[in-house]
Amino acid sequence: MKKKLLSAMLCTVMVAGMLSGCGSSAGTETAAETTAAEGTTAEGTTASADGLSFAVCGGSEDAMVLDTARAGTLEGLSACRHLYEGLYKLDQEGNTVLGQAASVDISEDGLTYTFTLRDDITWSDGQPVVAGDFVYGWQYLKESAGDYCDLLSMISTSEATDDKTLVVTLAYPCSYLPSVLAFPSAYPVRQDIVEANGDAYATDPDKAVYNGAYAATEWTHQESVVMTARDDYYDAANITAKEITWQLMTETSTMLASFQSGDIIYSDSYPEEGVLTGLQFASGYNTYCALFNVGENGPEVLKDANVRKALSLAIDRNRLVSIRNLDDEVANTYAPGGLTDESGKEFNSTVTPWYSTDEADYEANCEEAKALLAEAGYADGEGFPALSYIVNNDGRREIAEAVISDWKEVLGIDTVTVEIVDSFFAQRQEQDYDIAYFGWYMDYPDVSNMMYTFVSGASDSGYANEEYDAAYNAATATADTAEQWTNYAKCEELLAAEAPVAPLFHSQNSYLFNSDSYDGLVYYCGNFYFGYVTEK
Amino acid sequence: MQLVIDTKGKDWNIKMELFQKIVKRIILAVFSLFVIVTITFFLMNLIPGDPFMSEKANAEAQAILRAKYGLDQPVIVQYGRYLSNLFQGDMGNSYVLQKGRAIREIVTESFAVSMQLGIRALCTAIFVGIPFGCIAGLWKDKKPDGVIRVISAIGISVPGYVVAAILMLILGVQLKLFPISYNKPGGSIMPIITLALYPTCYLIRLTRASILEVLNQDYLRTERAKGMSEFVVIFIHALKNSLIPIITYLGPLTASVLTGGFVAESVFNVPGLGRYFVSAISSRDYTLIMGTTIFYAALIITMNLVCDILYQIVDPRIKMD
């Protein structure tokens, strides 16, 4: 009896398993075949009568935050640039031009901006975009407490005098305001949609409305987001990519394999090894540093500026760059290159370099470092206390280890250890570390975005200097670029003298793009826009 | 009167006894679940950091967010509130990985995907593993046994991420046989192989060992001596008795395969539950850590219970307690 019962049960279980297994598999495959039938080419794109469509890597699901106020990653911000649009936007060349605004009137003192909105702008549910959506959006940005919640700190008031007129007053003349207003965090937001959805706002395509060139039409969580070009977008005629599928991926090896197999035409990340075909470089606007904890919780030894300068000088930056082999530029200032004024002059040309990065001068730097360390009482590294150097991934550990090997060889310090920590950002922010990786990727190419990071209270190094704050405030208070730069140069000088940070190099932004078959990618400060992509 | 009850049959009594045992086990299971929830909650809060840390966030904004979600309260207060919400069936919203979405929605959605994949991997493991294990056992030390043993030894010792990487590189990039992403046609084949390889090989070895042990038992010798056909001896008696250790393994295996594999899912972009076990912890997505833990624990406990009940049927001598 029991034997029969058992065999019957086992059979049922197995058959049920098989059926459900096969059933679901059949379902998936049929759905997939339908898509394939629409004509997939070898490049993984579908060229239908409706226009160009392709897939790109959109990073991981947690990066894909489609709420402009909460988006913080490059993938999320870039995706938002497709779905929404601000008063300004990026054009085909990556320049900042008027977007939702038809015109702007700037007062003589540079403190009042009066925007007139276009007449032909609508949300994806058909409602017109009104000036009040911007006012609400900026208030919502502050309340949401996202990574960029204080992006609009220069704006003191914003008022919608009527549906099409927005008057913005600034606390200080801010010549880079257009770049800021073209940033996703400054986009308009529809109050009724936010209030109807609460925490779930913009977590599914039907829980948001869009005023950009695209509308999100499908979102299979953890798998893909599909964006479809809107016919009622005012500039629809110039949008060449009609459908973009953002494949969500977490593993860099998967991104590379998908790129190489032609499944995707763009990826922001890839495994950092070897030279890859399809790899493109763009000006990075960033600085990769070693940060010293000079705050209250920091180690005594690092409170001595001579020690910090000695540590900084002893680093062979050219060797670091050759280890990475990614076309980085050695850093001898905190601000990266490429920050220019109207005439094309570089900010860095007005700054005295902190030290020479010429390979021939490295010996001399080392001698100076040894002298400084001896002065601080640690000649030949004698008696130097144990410190830990924290990083958050393998690539950064490799660089940190190269740095401490310089300290060991040049200064005789063998008490610094490198550690990958899980709660890296929390530890750094709570100043619970000795030395840490620090990298700043600028959000818009204005020197203020760089110098802000060492204003008292803003830096994880615990650096606080009234003179620095005064110089920074003087720079932001003026509309005159030359005067701003004089003050920012003063900031650089103070950082060089006190070395709360050791700039190592400025990395290039790099990404994979199938430039053999495609053209028209807009790449700006790590953000990417596919609307103008065309097939070659 | 007592006689009357007895006439209702011993079978009824045994069933009642089994039923009582099951009820007892269920009560015990709920208690275990409570203990797991408690331990996880406090351990999770011991890890430094919180869901709102990031490269560019400022301290003030983080304080606002902590206050909004009550993370600024003492852990014991948070725990009390979590439990009371849990009893009302509310597992909260994700803080990080799917910002703002309900945990229940995330877990059910992604479990459905993992389960689809898992059932297919499980079937592969059972239908390949057990027969090949039998073959190896019945032909012990002969050629098929040797080949199967070598292959299964390799399958067991190669870690999942290596299997996934090799499959992706050879079948996906070089030969372009299968797409890398799960949402493309044929995209489920490589993740199934990755998921099924280890359990298949393990089942082969387990079945082989178990069969060998049973084949040496006296009762089989007796059956043979009595002239029973070899077919009946092996397929009816030997196989049935060698099933016990396999069932023991199948319970937890089912639970772990159904909830998906971290490696297979993250490498092949499967939108399943498996990748959350690791990523929820590293991103301190507290509500998701709790959600996945509770779900997985409940599943494991249920599968073990099912196994215990199956034992009773296969071999009533095994005590359920």
Side-chain angles (χ1 to χ4, degrees):
Chain A
M1 264 303 281
K2 271 179 195 138
K3 189 167 67 194
K4 274 186 191 159
L5 183 68
L6 171 73
S7 43
M9 269 187 67
L10 282 180
C11 282
T12 327
V13 169
M14 284 179 180
V15 170
M18 265 165 75
L19 286 181
S20 54
C22 299
S24 48
S25 112
T28 332
E29 251 111 82
T30 329
E33 271 159 22
T34 332
T35 352
E38 281 167 17
T40 310
T41 70
E43 301 297 339
T45 62
T46 315
S48 67
D50 298 319
L52 184 62
S53 89
F54 49 79
V56 298
C57 170
S60 55
E61 168 89 21
D62 53 317
M64 196 51 52
V65 175
L66 300 185
D67 172 357
T68 48
R70 292 197 171 101
T73 62
L74 294 175
E75 290 94 351
L77 292 166
S78 300
C80 284
R81 284 180 189 270
H82 291 75
L83 296 174
Y84 311 93
E85 189 177 287
L87 294 164
Y88 292 89
K89 65 171 180 180
L90 299 176
D91 69 2
Q92 277 98 326
E93 272 76 51
N95 300 316
T96 304
V97 296
L98 286 174
Q100 300 277 292
S103 64
V104 58
D105 186 25
I106 306 169
S107 69
E108 245 170 60
D109 57 3
L111 289 175
T112 309
Y113 283 63
T114 308
F115 293 97
T116 310
L117 299 189
R118 298 178 66 103
D119 290 326
D120 49 1
I121 46 176
T122 55
W123 292 97
S124 51
D125 64 349
Q127 291 210 26
V129 180
V130 295
D133 294 334
F134 285 91
V135 177
Y136 175 73
W138 298 349
Q139 178 202 331
Y140 175 66
L141 173 67
K142 272 188 211 153
E143 288 166 3
S144 305
D147 285 1
Y148 290 100
C149 59
D150 53 7
L151 181 83
L152 301 177
S153 55
M154 74 292 283
I155 294 179
S156 36
T157 63
S158 58
E159 195 195 342
T161 50
D162 62 59
D163 272 358
K164 289 289 164 193
T165 315
L166 181 68
V167 183
V168 179
T169 58
L170 305 182
Y172 49 85
C174 176
S175 49
Y176 54 92
L177 188 71
S179 307
V180 173
L181 293 181
F183 198 79
S185 314
Y187 290 177
V189 177
R190 270 272 292 280
Q191 186 167 7
D192 54 331
I193 307 287
V194 169
E195 282 168 359
N197 289 291
D199 254 7
Y201 170 66
T203 56
D204 276 308
D206 58 352
K207 290 177 180 144
V209 288
Y210 313 100
N211 75 322
Y214 293 85
T217 43
E218 259 174 68
W219 188 346
T220 313
H221 288 280
Q222 287 197 95
E223 191 177 288
S224 62
V225 175
V226 179
M227 293 183 185
T228 313
R230 286 175 57 205
D231 295 330
D232 51 350
Y233 175 64
Y234 65 89
D235 196 27
N238 286 320
I239 300 297
T240 44
K242 295 301 173 197
E243 191 184 88
I244 306 170
T245 305
W246 301 66
Q247 291 277 6
L248 305 180
M249 307 178 177
T250 48
E251 300 294 308
T252 51
S253 52
T254 312
M255 298 173 192
L256 179 61
S258 300
F259 180 78
Q260 287 177 338
S261 69
D263 286 351
I264 57 171
I265 69 161
Y266 176 91
S267 178
D268 201 28
S269 314
Y270 53 86
E272 282 184 16
E273 53 222 21
V275 181
L276 307 165
T277 45
L279 195 58
Q280 325 271 324
F281 291 100
S283 193
Y285 297 119
N286 64 59
T287 307
Y288 187 121
C289 313
L291 192 68
F292 302 117
N293 187 347
V294 299
E296 265 173 44
N297 307 331
E300 266 324 297
V301 61
L302 290 181
K303 294 201 164 63
D304 186 339
N306 281 340
V307 172
R308 301 195 296 264
K309 276 160 87 173
L311 292 175
S312 174
L313 279 169
I315 301 168
D316 187 354
R317 292 171 170 80
N318 288 297
R319 189 167 70 95
L320 301 183
V321 167
S322 66
I323 291 175
R324 279 178 37 107
N325 195 19
L326 285 169
D327 264 8
D328 305 315
E329 192 190 328
V330 286
N332 55 13
T333 53
Y334 180 53
L339 302 168
T340 52
D341 66 4
E342 297 80 10
S343 68
K345 189 169 84 168
E346 285 238 7
F347 170 67
N348 274 352
S349 68
T350 69
V351 176
T352 325
W354 296 22
Y355 38 75
S356 166
T357 44
D358 202 327
E359 272 177 82
D361 293 335
Y362 180 58
E363 288 289 317
N365 285 349
C366 290
E367 290 312 312
E368 194 187 337
K370 281 180 199 163
L372 283 168
L373 196 66
E375 206 178 303
Y378 304 101
D380 297 323
E382 205 81 25
F384 200 86
L387 297 181
S388 86
Y389 185 160
I390 62 166
V391 292
N392 58 345
N393 63 37
D394 281 325
R396 287 168 186 169
R397 180 174 63 187
E398 198 184 352
I399 295 302
E401 273 168 355
V403 168
I404 64 165
S405 83
D406 283 341
W407 291 344
K408 190 175 173 186
E409 276 169 34
V410 178
L411 303 173
I413 296 172
D414 56 2
T415 48
V416 183
T417 46
V418 177
E419 204 186 335
I420 294 188
V421 290
D422 273 341
S423 50
F424 177 79
F425 292 119
Q427 256 179 276
R428 200 179 70 188
Q429 193 166 52
E430 284 156 17
Q431 292 172 24
D432 175 20
Y433 71 94
D434 302 327
I435 302 168
Y437 157 79
F438 174 69
W440 187 258
Y441 287 76
M442 298 180 71
D443 303 309
Y444 42 86
D446 189 85
V447 190
S448 64
N449 190 235
M450 205 69 209
M451 294 306 160
Y452 170 75
T453 53
F454 276 91
V455 169
S456 301
S459 170
D460 291 346
S461 71
Y463 180 71
N465 183 336
E466 282 173 13
E467 236 181 303
Y468 185 97
D469 298 350
Y472 176 81
N473 289 333
T476 53
T478 168
D480 178 43
T481 313
E483 203 182 327
Q484 285 177 7
W485 282 14
T486 319
N487 283 299
Y488 289 137
K490 170 94 179 144
C491 290
E492 281 271 359
E493 210 176 290
L494 288 166
L495 287 182
E498 303 196 82
V501 63
L504 303 180
F505 46 80
H506 308 295
S507 64
Q508 296 259 41
N509 275 335
S510 51
Y511 52 90
L512 295 168
F513 179 60
N514 185 349
S515 55
D516 290 342
S517 314
Y518 297 91
D519 222 346
L521 172 73
V522 177
Y523 194 88
Y524 169 88
C525 271
N527 286 235
F528 31 91
Y529 186 76
F530 303 111
Y532 306 121
V533 166
T534 51
E535 247 177 315
K536 272 188 179 170
Chain B
M1 284 300 277
Q2 277 185 335
L3 273 172
V4 178
I5 294 168
D6 271 345
T7 51
K8 284 211 169 184
K10 248 167 47 185
D11 245 23
W12 172 251
N13 272 340
I14 291 171
K15 274 180 192 155
M16 267 312 285
E17 213 177 307
L18 188 65
F19 178 73
Q20 279 173 353
K21 278 177 185 169
I22 291 173
V23 170
K24 232 163 92 185
R25 282 291 300 267
I26 289 173
I27 295 171
L28 200 67
V30 171
F31 179 71
S32 327
L33 210 53
F34 171 75
V35 173
I36 291 168
V37 168
T38 311
I39 294 177
T40 315
F41 195 91
F42 287 99
L43 276 184
M44 168 180 94
N45 275 288
L46 281 180
I47 325 174
D50 70 43
F52 308 118
M53 58 193 179
S54 83
E55 182 115 37
K56 289 209 167 175
N58 67 33
E60 206 179 309
Q62 291 186 328
I64 296 174
L65 288 174
R66 269 185 223 121
K68 180 180 172 194
Y69 293 105
L71 300 184
D72 53 345
Q73 310 263 323
V75 176
I76 189 81
V77 176
Q78 293 183 36
Y79 172 70
R81 199 179 30 220
Y82 185 80
L83 275 192
S84 93
N85 287 343
L86 192 61
F87 279 120
Q88 293 161 35
D90 177 12
M91 299 176 94
N93 293 344
S94 165
Y95 294 143
V96 189
L97 291 174
Q98 294 198 24
K99 235 175 240 180
R101 293 192 76 219
I103 296 296
R104 210 163 31 165
E105 214 173 298
I106 298 174
V107 171
T108 40
E109 218 175 71
S110 49
F111 177 63
V113 175
S114 289
M115 193 175 72
Q116 268 189 21
L117 206 60
I119 287 174
R120 283 181 271 169
L122 196 65
C123 290
T124 314
I126 291 172
F127 288 113
V128 176
I130 296 180
F132 277 92
C134 289
I135 293 172
L138 297 175
W139 276 272
K140 181 175 178 275
D141 294 335
K142 305 254 167 53
K143 240 186 199 154
D145 181 34
V147 174
I148 291 171
R149 273 167 70 189
V150 168
I151 293 175
S152 62
I154 295 173
I156 282 185
S157 40
V158 178
Y161 58 90
V162 175
V163 176
I166 290 175
L167 286 176
M168 185 169 76
L169 203 65
I170 296 177
L171 301 183
V173 177
Q174 300 292 333
L175 301 176
K176 298 197 177 175
L177 274 181
F178 303 114
I180 287 144
S181 285
Y182 176 72
N183 59 355
K184 299 265 170 65
S188 58
I189 293 173
M190 292 201 285
I192 290 178
I193 300 176
T194 312
L195 271 179
L197 186 67
Y198 179 86
T200 307
C201 296
Y202 193 86
L203 270 180
I204 288 178
R205 293 169 64 104
L206 198 64
T207 312
R208 179 180 177 276
S210 172
I211 288 232
L212 287 181
E213 200 187 312
V214 171
L215 284 180
N216 285 331
Q217 299 282 320
D218 288 343
Y219 65 87
L220 287 189
R221 206 172 306 147
T222 314
E223 280 178 3
R224 285 203 182 98
K226 281 183 165 179
M228 236 177 234
S229 80
E230 193 63 18
F231 179 83
V232 174
V233 170
I234 289 174
F235 283 88
I236 310 290
H237 295 113
L239 278 189
K240 183 194 157 186
N241 284 305
S242 60
L243 269 179
I244 291 175
I246 297 168
I247 291 176
T248 317
Y249 175 63
L250 280 184
L253 173 71
T254 310
S256 81
V257 167
L258 288 191
T259 46
F262 175 70
V263 171
E265 292 190 355
S266 39
V267 169
F268 298 110
N269 287 329
V270 181
L273 190 62
R275 55 219 286 208
Y276 281 146
F277 291 111
V278 179
S279 56
I281 297 172
S282 55
S283 57
R284 312 283 185 279
D285 200 341
Y286 290 160
T287 43
L288 192 56
I289 296 178
M290 294 308 296
T292 47
T293 309
I294 292 172
F295 184 80
Y296 191 55
L299 197 64
I300 290 265
I301 291 171
T302 316
M303 288 326 286
N304 278 330
L305 188 63
V306 170
C307 274
D308 284 352
I309 296 169
L310 276 182
Y311 282 158
Q312 294 280 306
I313 297 162
V314 177
D315 187 351
R317 286 171 307 175
I318 297 175
K319 288 277 173 284
M320 212 168 160
D321 312 309

